[in-house]
Amino acid sequence: MESAPEADRILRVGLYIRYSTQEQKINSYSAEMQRDQCMQKLHREHPDTHYTVRTFEDLGISGSIGVSSAASPAKQHRQGLTELLNGIADGELDMVLVYSQDRLARDEFLWHYMNTAIFQRYQIPVLFARETHDILTEEGQMISSIHALVAALERRKISRNVSAAAERRAQEGYSGGPPPYGWKWDPQQNKGPRERRRIVRDEAQGVVVVEMKERYMAGWPTAEIVRDLHRRGIESPRGGLHWNTDGVLKVMKNPVNAGLVRHRQELYQGQHTPLRYWPPEDRELLLQRISERADRSLSVRNVERFLLSGVLFCGHCGRRLTGSTDSRRDQRMYGCPAPRTGGNNRVRRNGEFAEVRTCPGLHRSADELEATVVEAVSGLARSAVVQSAAAQKVEDALDQKDAQISAELSSVQKDLQQVEQGFSRLFGLLDKGAITEDEFSLENERRRDQKKALVQRQEQLSGHLSQRRTRKAELERALALLRDFDGLWESMPPGEQKEMLRQIDPHMTLRREDNYLILTIAPAFAEPISITFVARPRKHLQNPGPDAHLTPRQLALLCCWEDGDSLQDMAHAWDISIGTVRWVVAAVRERLGVKDLDEAVELVKDRLDKCRNTLSIKGRYNKRPVSDPTILSEVLLAVLRLLAEGKRCVEIAKTLGKDKSTISRQIRQVYYRLGAENREAALSRARELGLLS
């Protein structure tokens, strides 16, 4: 902040400073130079005014970059200029001080916005250290517009020069920008003022680059390459373990690795060619393999593996049935992604939980559904209705094509008549002397060419009309292929198969009714087809009532509810989430056909009295940990003994031949049933009970 002699009025000045490049910073537009020139101008223009100066800076930013606002936010903008304009809009500044107009904007549209929307609107004067015009006057407006156009032209010239320099650099074999992964600047080069920097191999990164390419060409999945890089702790180009599939592909596709340099879409021989990792021919094979695997990933994952994805929909909620693979049975399945009826799919309304409409849970083998759909479509293609419709479509297509040819032929004949009439008028003008011989020759030649083209087109159209029989034979051959649908289907690639199904019916539905699944195909040219499958019976929903089957967990929940425990208490006692408890509540209500748990308790009260002791022994009902050794099964005892040997969860899983998640769950069961919260407490309690003897 600087001040001048006292006066009645304090002038609030916003000083704006900007330079674009390091060269400008050193030679012509340094921040110190701009500040000194601007302050000298302010002293000369306002010698007796008291003022405060607030500085706004954009250092190393182009003048073509605009500002950001709440109405039009921008990712790349000038922070200093944005703050300056916001300060003017908020009434915090009375004047703008800048070295020259091109420091504010090198774009005519940006200057027009600032001039009209900010400076003119709020009547803020702009004081230039290098120019003398006042933008608040008409003359200053005209001069500032000319300055804006000149600055924009200079910027475009600079852009062209930069682009031309980059192209020259690429033609000379030098890569632009920082060295890519696997390369570095030559540390032994003594670079002169006009000499370009060379790149050399980075041996450590080069080993990784070559490994990537060899493994990818050997068939490794890109995701597996990424996991291997993370396991080995290899840093990514941006530092840290941030590898991903796109980053690996980008490193492999870089033409620098093949001794080439790219500028825009052109490739040039690089000065580093003797140091390349592989020849250009290998790069072409690599790009071809990447393209093939990308196409296969799109088609195989979405088309070959799941032919009906995007075509088959749930008949209950309208969602697309998604394909998945059951790894336990190595079986492909289609299923509805909506939560099943009876699950924890509820929302809170007015403080109460309300049921949300869900699906009954559609799941079916993908092989069975796809085979059924193909068989139905095959029968549909061989049906008399479709054959007659296809034959009629052939006739209609031929008639439509003939009508188009006839219309075009008549148009050509009319044009020929007009050309002949034009010849007559042209000779008449020549006889009258209205045109010269040269003009007549030129026009006559043009009309002859026009007539020749029209005659050729007339012959082509006449030939098309006479070839109706040939075109009909081709369409009938296609119709014969339709009759042999099985052979046609096998010869089609997966993408065309799926497209054919989409044209037949883009919205096939699968719904459940009792113990049956009904697949509906509704083609536009035939009656709907319904195919029925026997679904997996849901026994517990066939006869809801007091005799319905309840699991031990559901019976334990009713016992706790009868004792006055809340759902939160049950979740804490059983070491499960409150959402899981609510899911159990919904299942109980569905199985018994009741509205609340009080009604459910009254309905099965006799069964609860009989099962309390059994549930308590099994640890399903008793909310407090019990110390009865019989509650630990042989499996849990084996886990307890391995814990006593000091083994970790992973080691126990390997010893017992089970998954880590299974062992982790069994360890929690041991802790719970022994009334312990950690390993030490559990082992101490087990020794007291004699379980480790």
Side-chain angles (χ1 to χ4, degrees):
M1 180 179 298
E2 302 185 22
S3 60
E6 295 184 359
D8 295 337
R9 181 172 176 269
I10 298 177
L11 186 65
R12 297 169 299 176
V13 180
L15 172 61
Y16 181 72
I17 298 173
R18 181 189 69 82
Y19 59 77
S20 303
T21 63
Q22 190 71 15
E23 184 178 357
Q24 285 186 351
K25 175 183 177 181
I26 297 173
N27 299 329
S28 54
Y29 289 108
S30 67
E32 293 76 12
M33 185 275 294
Q34 293 185 48
R35 182 179 291 106
D36 294 342
Q37 293 291 327
C38 289
M39 295 309 301
Q40 292 177 16
K41 180 77 171 184
L42 183 61
H43 287 315
R44 289 196 303 269
E45 295 292 331
H46 302 277
D48 299 327
T49 305
H50 184 81
Y51 53 81
T52 60
V53 178
R54 180 179 170 188
T55 304
F56 302 88
E57 294 182 345
D58 284 316
L59 307 181
I61 300 179
S62 171
S64 62
I65 296 176
V67 297
S68 179
S69 64
S72 59
K75 291 184 179 179
Q76 188 180 19
H77 64 278
R78 282 191 270 168
Q79 184 66 30
L81 183 60
T82 302
E83 294 177 359
L84 173 68
L85 300 183
N86 290 337
I88 295 174
D90 295 339
E92 300 174 358
L93 298 174
D94 300 320
M95 175 185 288
V96 174
L97 181 61
V98 64
Y99 178 70
S100 62
Q101 183 176 320
D102 61 358
R103 298 298 90 196
L104 285 172
R106 277 193 176 273
D107 183 271
E108 60 267 36
F109 301 106
L110 177 59
W111 171 254
H112 178 73
Y113 161 74
M114 287 192 296
N115 190 20
T116 57
I118 302 296
F119 302 141
Q120 300 297 326
R121 178 181 178 183
Y122 297 102
Q123 289 296 297
I124 298 296
V126 180
L127 184 61
F128 302 107
R130 199 171 66 175
E131 292 107 10
T132 59
H133 61 279
D134 182 3
I135 65 170
L136 297 183
T137 64
E138 292 184 1
E139 180 183 353
Q141 286 288 315
M142 181 181 66
I143 296 174
S144 65
S145 299
I146 296 173
H147 277 295
L149 290 173
V150 171
L153 290 174
E154 289 178 353
R155 178 179 62 83
R156 295 189 184 100
K157 182 180 178 181
I158 292 172
S159 299
R160 288 194 298 270
N161 292 339
V162 170
S163 179
E167 185 174 2
R168 286 195 303 271
R169 182 172 60 246
Q171 291 173 352
E172 294 171 5
Y174 291 91
S175 176
Y181 189 82
W183 301 87
K184 62 181 180 180
W185 296 121
D186 186 358
Q188 299 180 356
Q189 178 187 8
N190 295 321
K191 179 178 175 295
R194 293 292 180 180
E195 188 179 358
R196 305 191 187 280
R197 298 187 68 179
R198 297 190 301 266
I199 59 173
V200 294
R201 281 188 180 187
D202 187 320
E203 297 300 337
Q205 295 180 357
V207 173
V208 178
V209 172
V210 174
E211 278 186 356
M212 284 183 192
K213 184 240 182 186
E214 291 178 350
R215 292 180 175 182
Y216 190 86
M217 296 299 288
W220 278 46
T222 315
E224 184 60 31
I225 297 176
V226 171
R227 285 192 290 269
D228 181 69
L229 293 172
H230 287 165
R231 282 194 299 267
R232 293 158 58 189
I234 296 176
E235 287 193 359
S236 64
R238 57 176 179 171
L241 301 180
H242 298 297
W243 288 103
N244 54 37
T245 55
D246 292 337
V248 169
L249 293 176
K250 183 178 179 180
V251 169
M252 291 191 297
K253 292 191 294 186
N254 196 320
V256 175
N257 297 326
L260 303 175
V261 175
R262 178 168 52 202
H263 176 70
R264 301 186 184 275
Q265 301 301 323
E266 298 294 331
L267 292 176
Y268 303 95
Q269 194 74 19
Q271 52 82 26
H272 62 289
T273 298
L275 304 175
R276 66 190 182 189
Y277 291 114
W278 50 76
E281 296 78 15
D282 288 3
R283 179 176 181 270
E284 294 298 327
L285 292 176
L286 176 63
L287 294 178
Q288 183 179 356
R289 180 67 62 86
I290 291 173
S291 177
E292 290 174 356
R293 287 175 61 168
D295 295 341
R296 195 184 315 128
S297 66
L298 292 175
S299 60
V300 171
R301 183 168 57 240
N302 300 324
V303 179
E304 288 183 0
R305 294 198 61 193
F306 297 101
L307 182 64
L308 303 180
S309 61
V311 180
L312 187 60
F313 292 79
C314 175
H316 299 277
C317 66
R319 290 181 172 91
R320 284 193 181 96
L321 296 190
T322 57
S324 61
T325 303
D326 189 343
S327 57
R328 294 173 298 179
R329 294 181 290 179
D330 193 20
Q331 185 179 16
R332 298 183 306 122
M333 304 288 291
Y334 284 107
C336 180
R340 301 188 185 184
T341 302
N344 182 32
N345 187 34
R346 303 193 298 167
V347 296
R348 188 183 292 274
R349 294 174 183 163
N350 300 325
E352 300 292 335
F353 282 100
E355 292 294 336
V356 177
R357 182 181 179 184
T358 54
C359 291
L362 298 178
H363 279 81
R364 196 67 182 184
S365 167
D367 294 332
E368 183 180 5
L369 281 175
E370 290 171 1
T372 303
V373 169
V374 172
E375 184 179 355
V377 172
S378 176
L380 191 66
R382 290 191 297 267
S383 65
V385 175
V386 174
Q387 292 292 328
S388 62
Q392 184 61 41
K393 192 172 183 180
V394 168
E395 293 293 335
D396 293 343
L398 289 172
D399 294 340
Q400 184 178 3
K401 185 66 176 177
D402 289 344
Q404 292 176 354
I405 293 174
S406 300
E408 187 176 357
L409 183 59
S410 63
S411 176
V412 169
Q413 290 172 349
K414 290 181 181 179
D415 292 342
L416 277 173
Q417 293 177 1
Q418 292 178 359
V419 170
E420 293 292 344
Q421 294 173 2
F423 276 121
S424 301
R425 288 195 298 270
L426 187 63
F427 280 103
L429 292 173
L430 181 63
D431 294 339
K432 295 178 180 179
I435 58 176
T436 63
E437 290 286 344
D438 293 337
E439 292 174 343
F440 172 80
S441 300
L442 291 174
E443 184 64 20
N444 187 41
E445 187 67 26
R446 186 184 68 81
R447 289 182 180 273
R448 284 181 182 277
D449 293 340
Q450 185 179 6
K451 180 180 179 180
K452 182 178 179 181
L454 289 174
V455 169
Q456 291 177 352
R457 184 58 180 163
Q458 184 181 24
E459 293 174 353
Q460 291 176 357
L461 294 175
S462 301
H464 283 309
L465 281 178
S466 63
Q467 292 174 358
R468 176 186 173 95
R469 184 176 300 175
T470 304
R471 289 185 286 112
K472 184 175 181 179
E474 293 176 355
L475 292 173
E476 286 180 346
R477 280 196 295 271
L479 191 61
L481 286 175
L482 185 62
R483 296 189 186 99
D484 183 21
F485 181 81
D486 294 336
L488 176 65
W489 182 264
E490 293 297 332
S491 64
M492 295 171 63
E496 294 183 9
Q497 291 177 352
K498 188 170 184 177
E499 186 60 30
M500 175 179 281
L501 293 179
R502 197 184 300 277
Q503 291 177 1
I504 292 173
D505 183 9
H507 202 282
M508 303 178 188
T509 58
L510 184 69
R511 70 181 189 278
R512 181 166 189 153
E513 292 185 3
D514 296 330
N515 290 329
Y516 297 95
L517 290 176
I518 301 176
L519 174 66
T520 303
I521 305 174
F525 48 81
E527 294 295 326
I529 302 173
S530 295
I531 305 165
T532 303
F533 305 89
V534 177
R536 185 177 63 183
R538 298 186 294 172
K539 298 179 180 179
H540 61 278
L541 295 181
Q542 289 181 356
N543 299 306
D547 297 329
H549 173 71
L550 294 176
T551 65
R553 175 70 77 187
Q554 294 164 354
L555 290 170
L557 181 138
L558 292 176
C559 291
C560 293
W561 187 263
E562 187 180 17
D563 292 346
D565 293 341
S566 65
L567 300 184
Q568 191 68 40
D569 294 336
M570 299 179 206
H572 180 70
W574 295 334
D575 193 22
I576 58 178
S577 66
I578 187 65
T580 305
V581 176
R582 289 174 182 152
W583 188 91
V584 177
V585 171
V588 169
R589 291 166 52 189
E590 184 181 22
R591 294 190 179 199
L592 298 180
V594 297
K595 295 182 178 180
D596 52 40
L597 289 181
D598 294 331
E599 187 178 349
V601 169
E602 292 297 327
L603 194 63
V604 295
K605 189 172 182 60
D606 296 337
R607 293 170 63 183
L608 295 180
D609 294 337
K610 294 179 182 178
C611 68
R612 277 181 185 272
N613 294 332
T614 305
L615 292 172
S616 178
I617 291 174
K618 290 184 177 181
R620 298 291 186 120
Y621 160 62
N622 195 340
K623 299 181 291 300
R624 297 176 181 80
V626 293
S627 59
D628 189 348
T630 60
I631 64 176
L632 289 181
S633 63
E634 291 297 329
V635 175
L636 296 183
L637 283 173
V639 173
L640 178 62
R641 293 188 185 100
L642 293 174
L643 285 173
E645 295 176 7
K647 293 188 176 182
R648 296 178 300 170
C649 180
V650 177
E651 297 171 341
I652 296 174
K654 290 181 179 180
T655 303
L656 298 180
K658 297 182 179 180
D659 294 336
K660 179 183 175 182
S661 59
T662 302
I663 298 300
S664 179
R665 185 175 66 252
Q666 291 175 350
I667 291 174
R668 289 197 301 268
Q669 284 289 325
V670 170
Y671 291 171
Y672 169 71
R673 297 187 183 187
L674 293 178
E677 295 185 358
N678 51 46
R679 179 184 296 219
E680 290 75 12
L683 295 177
S684 176
R685 181 64 174 160
R687 293 188 182 96
E688 292 177 6
L689 297 173
L691 298 178
L692 297 176
S693 58

